[in-house]
């Protein structure tokens, strides 16, 4: 009997995101292309099947994560998640890692130390971000995570 590598499923990877401007969605779609899954917007999707590694993307709006992200954790996760890998954009130069980690830990979900962050648009500044270089970097990041797990 021959077993092909493509027929073996080692880990279940998914990518969920929240994006008001489309910048975080661009990163989510790039990750999806690496893991072979469609990126899912948290405003219209829930997690109802176990996930080994969840790539989770969001951004800083004002001075923190958007309340929609908190609502998603409160109302739309009905499955086990092995760990969350954070990725984010922000025009204020700050990752969402600490906020997402605190939220994840409040639900006893492990947070990976690995994260990806890139500058995003804010008040017309950095309107070209994420750019092709950022997309290339997040694809490499996602592949490194897949290889790690």
């Amino acid at each position: 009997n021959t077993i092909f590598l493509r027929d073996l499923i080692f880990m279940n990877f998914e990518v969920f995101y929240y994006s008001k401007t489309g910048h975080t969605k661009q990163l989510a779609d790039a990750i999806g292309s690496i893991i072979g899954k469609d990126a899912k917007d948290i405003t219209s999707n829930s997690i109802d099947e176990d996930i080994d590694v969840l790539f989770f993307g969001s951004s800083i709006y004002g001075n923190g994560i958007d309340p929609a992200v908190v609502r998603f954790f409160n109302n739309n996760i009905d499955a086990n998640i092995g760990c969350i890998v954070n990725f984010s954009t922000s025009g204020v130069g700050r990752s969402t890692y600490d906020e997402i980690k605190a939220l994840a830990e409040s639900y006893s979900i492990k947070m990976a130390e690995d994260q990806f962050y890139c500058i995003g648009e804010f008040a017309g500044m950095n309107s070209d971000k994420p750019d092709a270089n950022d997309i290339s970097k997040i694809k490499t990041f996602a592949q490194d995570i897949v290889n790690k797990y």
Side-chain angles (χ1 to χ4, degrees), residues 85-88 95-98 112-117 141 145:
V85 176
N86 191 68
F87 66 97
S88 61
S95 165
T96 61
Y97 184 86
D98 291 337
E113 291 181 14
D114 303 289
Q115 70 161 321
F116 182 90
Y117 166 78
F141 171 79
I145 295 295

Side-chain angles (χ1 to χ4, degrees), residues 25-72:
K25 179 185 185 323
Q26 289 176 10
L27 299 180
D29 288 340
I31 293 170
S33 75
I34 297 300
I35 65 171
K37 303 274 182 90
D38 290 334
K40 296 175 181 162
D41 184 335
I42 66 168
T43 63
S44 58
N45 291 280
S46 60
I47 297 176
D48 51 14
E49 294 183 10
D50 291 353
I51 298 171
D52 295 310
V53 178
L54 172 63
F55 288 93
F56 191 84
S58 59
S59 186
I60 299 291
Y61 298 104
N63 197 30
I65 58 173
D66 193 276
V69 174
V70 176
R71 282 193 304 275
F72 178 76

